[in-house]
PDB file of all heavy atoms in Angstrom:
ATOM      1  N   ASN T   1       3.722  -8.304   9.197  1.00 93.00           N
ATOM      2  CA  ASN T   1       2.545  -9.006   9.786  1.00 93.00           C
ATOM      3  C   ASN T   1       2.949 -10.257  10.537  1.00 93.00           C
ATOM      4  O   ASN T   1       2.097 -11.044  10.914  1.00 93.00           O
ATOM      5  CB  ASN T   1       1.564  -9.355   8.673  1.00 93.00           C
ATOM      6  CG  ASN T   1       1.064  -8.118   7.955  1.00 93.00           C
ATOM      7  OD1 ASN T   1       1.429  -7.885   6.839  1.00 93.00           O
ATOM      8  ND2 ASN T   1       0.243  -7.322   8.617  1.00 93.00           N
ATOM      9  N   HIS T   2       4.246 -10.417  10.808  1.00 93.00           N
ATOM     10  CA  HIS T   2       4.714 -11.582  11.563  1.00 93.00           C
ATOM     11  C   HIS T   2       5.413 -11.136  12.866  1.00 93.00           C
ATOM     12  O   HIS T   2       5.812  -9.966  13.010  1.00 93.00           O
ATOM     13  CB  HIS T   2       5.655 -12.393  10.699  1.00 93.00           C
ATOM     14  CG  HIS T   2       4.906 -13.105   9.580  1.00 93.00           C
ATOM     15  ND1 HIS T   2       4.521 -14.409   9.623  1.00 93.00           N
ATOM     16  CD2 HIS T   2       4.438 -12.642   8.390  1.00 93.00           C
ATOM     17  CE1 HIS T   2       3.880 -14.744   8.534  1.00 93.00           C
ATOM     18  NE2 HIS T   2       3.803 -13.671   7.781  1.00 93.00           N
ATOM     19  N   SER T   3       5.538 -12.093  13.779  1.00 92.00           N
ATOM     20  CA  SER T   3       6.138 -11.793  15.083  1.00 92.00           C
ATOM     21  C   SER T   3       7.640 -12.084  15.026  1.00 92.00           C
ATOM     22  O   SER T   3       8.058 -13.104  14.470  1.00 92.00           O
ATOM     23  CB  SER T   3       5.493 -12.635  16.181  1.00 92.00           C
ATOM     24  OG  SER T   3       4.126 -12.296  16.314  1.00 92.00           O
ATOM     25  N   TRP T   4       8.428 -11.211  15.635  1.00 94.00           N
ATOM     26  CA  TRP T   4       9.878 -11.333  15.596  1.00 94.00           C
ATOM     27  C   TRP T   4      10.425 -11.066  16.996  1.00 94.00           C
ATOM     28  O   TRP T   4       9.874 -10.300  17.778  1.00 94.00           O
ATOM     29  CB  TRP T   4      10.493 -10.321  14.594  1.00 94.00           C
ATOM     30  CG  TRP T   4       9.876 -10.397  13.241  1.00 94.00           C
ATOM     31  CD1 TRP T   4       8.897  -9.606  12.719  1.00 94.00           C
ATOM     32  CD2 TRP T   4      10.139 -11.386  12.210  1.00 94.00           C
ATOM     33  NE1 TRP T   4       8.561  -9.998  11.461  1.00 94.00           N
ATOM     34  CE2 TRP T   4       9.304 -11.059  11.095  1.00 94.00           C
ATOM     35  CE3 TRP T   4      11.020 -12.468  12.126  1.00 94.00           C
ATOM     36  CZ2 TRP T   4       9.334 -11.809   9.943  1.00 94.00           C
ATOM     37  CZ3 TRP T   4      11.023 -13.187  10.938  1.00 94.00           C
ATOM     38  CH2 TRP T   4      10.214 -12.875   9.885  1.00 94.00           C
ATOM     39  N   SER T   5      11.562 -11.701  17.313  1.00 94.00           N
ATOM     40  CA  SER T   5      12.236 -11.479  18.573  1.00 94.00           C
ATOM     41  C   SER T   5      12.951 -10.138  18.587  1.00 94.00           C
ATOM     42  O   SER T   5      13.098  -9.471  17.513  1.00 94.00           O
ATOM     43  CB  SER T   5      13.255 -12.581  18.855  1.00 94.00           C
ATOM     44  OG  SER T   5      14.360 -12.487  17.968  1.00 94.00           O
ATOM     45  N   THR T   6      13.416  -9.702  19.723  1.00 92.00           N
ATOM     46  CA  THR T   6      14.134  -8.426  19.846  1.00 92.00           C
ATOM     47  C   THR T   6      15.337  -8.391  18.931  1.00 92.00           C
ATOM     48  O   THR T   6      15.599  -7.409  18.230  1.00 92.00           O
ATOM     49  CB  THR T   6      14.570  -8.190  21.294  1.00 92.00           C
ATOM     50  OG1 THR T   6      13.421  -8.219  22.160  1.00 92.00           O
ATOM     51  CG2 THR T   6      15.275  -6.844  21.459  1.00 92.00           C
ATOM     52  N   LYS T   7      16.134  -9.485  18.938  1.00 93.00           N
ATOM     53  CA  LYS T   7      17.303  -9.556  18.092  1.00 93.00           C
ATOM     54  C   LYS T   7      16.938  -9.511  16.624  1.00 93.00           C
ATOM     55  O   LYS T   7      17.592  -8.831  15.796  1.00 93.00           O
ATOM     56  CB  LYS T   7      18.102 -10.835  18.391  1.00 93.00           C
ATOM     57  CG  LYS T   7      19.445 -10.909  17.705  1.00 93.00           C
ATOM     58  CD  LYS T   7      20.177 -12.238  17.988  1.00 93.00           C
ATOM     59  CE  LYS T   7      20.589 -12.325  19.441  1.00 93.00           C
ATOM     60  NZ  LYS T   7      21.381 -13.543  19.708  1.00 93.00           N
ATOM     61  N   GLU T   8      15.877 -10.215  16.241  1.00 95.00           N
ATOM     62  CA  GLU T   8      15.421 -10.230  14.834  1.00 95.00           C
ATOM     63  C   GLU T   8      14.921  -8.848  14.418  1.00 95.00           C
ATOM     64  O   GLU T   8      15.204  -8.426  13.265  1.00 95.00           O
ATOM     65  CB  GLU T   8      14.290 -11.268  14.654  1.00 95.00           C
ATOM     66  CG  GLU T   8      14.821 -12.682  14.765  1.00 95.00           C
ATOM     67  CD  GLU T   8      13.707 -13.712  14.772  1.00 95.00           C
ATOM     68  OE1 GLU T   8      12.580 -13.364  15.211  1.00 95.00           O
ATOM     69  OE2 GLU T   8      13.942 -14.863  14.370  1.00 95.00           O
ATOM     70  N   VAL T   9      14.231  -8.165  15.314  1.00 94.00           N
ATOM     71  CA  VAL T   9      13.764  -6.788  14.988  1.00 94.00           C
ATOM     72  C   VAL T   9      14.927  -5.864  14.655  1.00 94.00           C
ATOM     73  O   VAL T   9      14.870  -5.102  13.700  1.00 94.00           O
ATOM     74  CB  VAL T   9      12.930  -6.237  16.156  1.00 94.00           C
ATOM     75  CG1 VAL T   9      12.726  -4.716  16.000  1.00 94.00           C
ATOM     76  CG2 VAL T   9      11.577  -6.924  16.230  1.00 94.00           C
ATOM     77  N   GLU T  10      16.015  -5.996  15.435  1.00 94.00           N
ATOM     78  CA  GLU T  10      17.192  -5.142  15.182  1.00 94.00           C
ATOM     79  C   GLU T  10      17.771  -5.396  13.799  1.00 94.00           C
ATOM     80  O   GLU T  10      18.136  -4.456  13.086  1.00 94.00           O
ATOM     81  CB  GLU T  10      18.228  -5.394  16.264  1.00 94.00           C
ATOM     82  CG  GLU T  10      17.943  -4.745  17.587  1.00 94.00           C
ATOM     83  CD  GLU T  10      17.758  -3.235  17.503  1.00 94.00           C
ATOM     84  OE1 GLU T  10      18.628  -2.563  16.890  1.00 94.00           O
ATOM     85  OE2 GLU T  10      16.741  -2.728  18.049  1.00 94.00           O
ATOM     86  N   ILE T  11      17.847  -6.645  13.408  1.00 94.00           N
ATOM     87  CA  ILE T  11      18.399  -6.996  12.102  1.00 94.00           C
ATOM     88  C   ILE T  11      17.455  -6.519  10.981  1.00 94.00           C
ATOM     89  O   ILE T  11      17.885  -5.906   9.996  1.00 94.00           O
ATOM     90  CB  ILE T  11      18.603  -8.528  11.995  1.00 94.00           C
ATOM     91  CG1 ILE T  11      19.710  -8.967  12.981  1.00 94.00           C
ATOM     92  CG2 ILE T  11      18.972  -8.915  10.555  1.00 94.00           C
ATOM     93  CD1 ILE T  11      19.841 -10.487  13.145  1.00 94.00           C
ATOM     94  N   ILE T  12      16.158  -6.775  11.162  1.00 95.00           N
ATOM     95  CA  ILE T  12      15.171  -6.363  10.124  1.00 95.00           C
ATOM     96  C   ILE T  12      15.157  -4.859   9.981  1.00 95.00           C
ATOM     97  O   ILE T  12      15.083  -4.316   8.848  1.00 95.00           O
ATOM     98  CB  ILE T  12      13.777  -6.919  10.466  1.00 95.00           C
ATOM     99  CG1 ILE T  12      13.787  -8.428  10.381  1.00 95.00           C
ATOM    100  CG2 ILE T  12      12.735  -6.330   9.506  1.00 95.00           C
ATOM    101  CD1 ILE T  12      12.521  -9.092  10.948  1.00 95.00           C
ATOM    102  N   ASN T  13      15.250  -4.125  11.089  1.00 93.00           N
ATOM    103  CA  ASN T  13      15.274  -2.666  11.005  1.00 93.00           C
ATOM    104  C   ASN T  13      16.469  -2.182  10.173  1.00 93.00           C
ATOM    105  O   ASN T  13      16.402  -1.182   9.460  1.00 93.00           O
ATOM    106  CB  ASN T  13      15.355  -2.056  12.398  1.00 93.00           C
ATOM    107  CG  ASN T  13      14.025  -2.060  13.119  1.00 93.00           C
ATOM    108  OD1 ASN T  13      12.977  -2.317  12.521  1.00 93.00           O
ATOM    109  ND2 ASN T  13      14.025  -1.778  14.412  1.00 93.00           N
ATOM    110  N   SER T  14      17.620  -2.880  10.291  1.00 92.00           N
ATOM    111  CA  SER T  14      18.815  -2.459   9.535  1.00 92.00           C
ATOM    112  C   SER T  14      18.700  -2.710   8.054  1.00 92.00           C
ATOM    113  O   SER T  14      19.447  -2.170   7.257  1.00 92.00           O
ATOM    114  CB  SER T  14      20.041  -3.204  10.089  1.00 92.00           C
ATOM    115  OG  SER T  14      20.012  -4.569   9.682  1.00 92.00           O
ATOM    116  N   MET T  15      17.705  -3.521   7.634  1.00 93.00           N
ATOM    117  CA  MET T  15      17.559  -3.877   6.217  1.00 93.00           C
ATOM    118  C   MET T  15      16.608  -2.937   5.489  1.00 93.00           C
ATOM    119  O   MET T  15      16.582  -2.935   4.246  1.00 93.00           O
ATOM    120  CB  MET T  15      17.030  -5.337   6.112  1.00 93.00           C
ATOM    121  CG  MET T  15      18.020  -6.380   6.645  1.00 93.00           C
ATOM    122  SD  MET T  15      17.305  -8.020   6.739  1.00 93.00           S
ATOM    123  CE  MET T  15      17.075  -8.434   5.013  1.00 93.00           C
ATOM    124  N   PHE T  16      15.806  -2.136   6.201  1.00 91.00           N
ATOM    125  CA  PHE T  16      14.907  -1.154   5.612  1.00 91.00           C
ATOM    126  C   PHE T  16      13.996  -1.806   4.557  1.00 91.00           C
ATOM    127  O   PHE T  16      13.825  -1.299   3.423  1.00 91.00           O
ATOM    128  CB  PHE T  16      15.681   0.011   4.971  1.00 91.00           C
ATOM    129  CG  PHE T  16      16.478   0.777   5.944  1.00 91.00           C
ATOM    130  CD1 PHE T  16      17.870   0.571   6.050  1.00 91.00           C
ATOM    131  CD2 PHE T  16      15.914   1.721   6.797  1.00 91.00           C
ATOM    132  CE1 PHE T  16      18.640   1.279   6.964  1.00 91.00           C
ATOM    133  CE2 PHE T  16      16.681   2.429   7.721  1.00 91.00           C
ATOM    134  CZ  PHE T  16      18.028   2.198   7.795  1.00 91.00           C
ATOM    135  N   LEU T  17      13.400  -2.920   4.934  1.00 94.00           N
ATOM    136  CA  LEU T  17      12.507  -3.632   3.970  1.00 94.00           C
ATOM    137  C   LEU T  17      11.190  -2.884   3.778  1.00 94.00           C
ATOM    138  O   LEU T  17      10.616  -2.339   4.719  1.00 94.00           O
ATOM    139  CB  LEU T  17      12.245  -5.039   4.502  1.00 94.00           C
ATOM    140  CG  LEU T  17      13.480  -5.935   4.622  1.00 94.00           C
ATOM    141  CD1 LEU T  17      13.090  -7.256   5.252  1.00 94.00           C
ATOM    142  CD2 LEU T  17      14.139  -6.172   3.279  1.00 94.00           C
ATOM    143  N   LEU T  18      10.692  -2.938   2.543  1.00 92.00           N
ATOM    144  CA  LEU T  18       9.460  -2.215   2.218  1.00 92.00           C
ATOM    145  C   LEU T  18       8.235  -2.879   2.878  1.00 92.00           C
ATOM    146  O   LEU T  18       7.326  -2.143   3.353  1.00 92.00           O
ATOM    147  CB  LEU T  18       9.269  -2.183   0.698  1.00 92.00           C
ATOM    148  CG  LEU T  18      10.448  -1.611  -0.110  1.00 92.00           C
ATOM    149  CD1 LEU T  18      10.164  -1.780  -1.625  1.00 92.00           C
ATOM    150  CD2 LEU T  18      10.667  -0.147   0.217  1.00 92.00           C
ATOM    151  N   THR T  19       8.236  -4.193   2.951  1.00 94.00           N
ATOM    152  CA  THR T  19       7.070  -4.874   3.524  1.00 94.00           C
ATOM    153  C   THR T  19       7.166  -4.932   5.048  1.00 94.00           C
ATOM    154  O   THR T  19       6.290  -5.523   5.706  1.00 94.00           O
ATOM    155  CB  THR T  19       6.953  -6.312   2.991  1.00 94.00           C
ATOM    156  OG1 THR T  19       8.120  -7.086   3.362  1.00 94.00           O
ATOM    157  CG2 THR T  19       6.816  -6.314   1.467  1.00 94.00           C
ATOM    158  N   ALA T  20       8.193  -4.334   5.633  1.00 94.00           N
ATOM    159  CA  ALA T  20       8.288  -4.233   7.076  1.00 94.00           C
ATOM    160  C   ALA T  20       7.634  -2.928   7.550  1.00 94.00           C
ATOM    161  O   ALA T  20       7.519  -2.717   8.782  1.00 94.00           O
ATOM    162  CB  ALA T  20       9.721  -4.270   7.539  1.00 94.00           C
ATOM    163  N   LYS T  21       7.198  -2.102   6.618  1.00 92.00           N
ATOM    164  CA  LYS T  21       6.560  -0.833   7.010  1.00 92.00           C
ATOM    165  C   LYS T  21       5.127  -1.104   7.463  1.00 92.00           C
ATOM    166  O   LYS T  21       4.369  -1.744   6.739  1.00 92.00           O
ATOM    167  CB  LYS T  21       6.514   0.146   5.828  1.00 92.00           C
ATOM    168  CG  LYS T  21       7.836   0.363   5.116  1.00 92.00           C
ATOM    169  CD  LYS T  21       8.749   1.244   5.899  1.00 92.00           C
ATOM    170  CE  LYS T  21      10.043   1.531   5.136  1.00 92.00           C
ATOM    171  NZ  LYS T  21      11.011   2.275   5.936  1.00 92.00           N
ATOM    172  N   PRO T  22       4.710  -0.625   8.632  1.00 91.00           N
ATOM    173  CA  PRO T  22       3.307  -0.720   9.040  1.00 91.00           C
ATOM    174  C   PRO T  22       2.424  -0.039   8.012  1.00 91.00           C
ATOM    175  O   PRO T  22       2.757   1.019   7.523  1.00 91.00           O
ATOM    176  CB  PRO T  22       3.251   0.022  10.358  1.00 91.00           C
ATOM    177  CG  PRO T  22       4.685   0.020  10.836  1.00 91.00           C
ATOM    178  CD  PRO T  22       5.530   0.079   9.645  1.00 91.00           C
ATOM    179  N   SER T  23       1.314  -0.686   7.669  1.00 93.00           N
ATOM    180  CA  SER T  23       0.430  -0.154   6.610  1.00 93.00           C
ATOM    181  C   SER T  23      -0.999   0.011   7.100  1.00 93.00           C
ATOM    182  O   SER T  23      -1.472  -0.819   7.906  1.00 93.00           O
ATOM    183  CB  SER T  23       0.453  -1.058   5.389  1.00 93.00           C
ATOM    184  OG  SER T  23       1.706  -1.061   4.748  1.00 93.00           O
ATOM    185  N   ILE T  24      -1.616   1.037   6.604  1.00 95.00           N
ATOM    186  CA  ILE T  24      -3.053   1.208   6.762  1.00 95.00           C
ATOM    187  C   ILE T  24      -3.667   1.322   5.363  1.00 95.00           C
ATOM    188  O   ILE T  24      -3.124   2.058   4.509  1.00 95.00           O
ATOM    189  CB  ILE T  24      -3.398   2.461   7.583  1.00 95.00           C
ATOM    190  CG1 ILE T  24      -2.964   2.257   9.027  1.00 95.00           C
ATOM    191  CG2 ILE T  24      -4.883   2.779   7.528  1.00 95.00           C
ATOM    192  CD1 ILE T  24      -3.185   3.460   9.928  1.00 95.00           C
ATOM    193  N   TYR T  25      -4.727   0.578   5.117  1.00 96.00           N
ATOM    194  CA  TYR T  25      -5.334   0.581   3.785  1.00 96.00           C
ATOM    195  C   TYR T  25      -6.504   1.572   3.763  1.00 96.00           C
ATOM    196  O   TYR T  25      -7.443   1.451   4.564  1.00 96.00           O
ATOM    197  CB  TYR T  25      -5.835  -0.819   3.420  1.00 96.00           C
ATOM    198  CG  TYR T  25      -4.696  -1.831   3.292  1.00 96.00           C
ATOM    199  CD1 TYR T  25      -4.196  -2.509   4.401  1.00 96.00           C
ATOM    200  CD2 TYR T  25      -4.117  -2.054   2.042  1.00 96.00           C
ATOM    201  CE1 TYR T  25      -3.135  -3.380   4.267  1.00 96.00           C
ATOM    202  CE2 TYR T  25      -3.055  -2.955   1.909  1.00 96.00           C
ATOM    203  CZ  TYR T  25      -2.576  -3.607   3.032  1.00 96.00           C
ATOM    204  OH  TYR T  25      -1.518  -4.483   2.888  1.00 96.00           O
ATOM    205  N   LEU T  26      -6.413   2.525   2.855  1.00 96.00           N
ATOM    206  CA  LEU T  26      -7.457   3.569   2.725  1.00 96.00           C
ATOM    207  C   LEU T  26      -8.276   3.229   1.486  1.00 96.00           C
ATOM    208  O   LEU T  26      -7.760   3.261   0.360  1.00 96.00           O
ATOM    209  CB  LEU T  26      -6.794   4.939   2.576  1.00 96.00           C
ATOM    210  CG  LEU T  26      -5.852   5.367   3.707  1.00 96.00           C
ATOM    211  CD1 LEU T  26      -5.307   6.768   3.452  1.00 96.00           C
ATOM    212  CD2 LEU T  26      -6.572   5.325   5.047  1.00 96.00           C
TER     213      LEU T  26
END
């Protein structure tokens, strides 16, 4: 839910964080 730069996105993607997954609440 936060904004990240292109370089930060690449690092975060490599970490496979659970809270980095886009979510929809049903």
Side-chain angles (χ1 to χ4, degrees):
N1 300 107
H2 290 260
S3 297
W4 308 99
S5 69
T6 302
K7 187 182 293 184
E8 288 171 335
V9 166
E10 285 302 312
I11 294 169
I12 294 169
N13 283 348
S14 73
M15 295 171 68
F16 298 101
L17 297 176
L18 305 174
T19 63
K21 309 285 184 186
S23 293
I24 291 177
Y25 294 87
L26 304 181

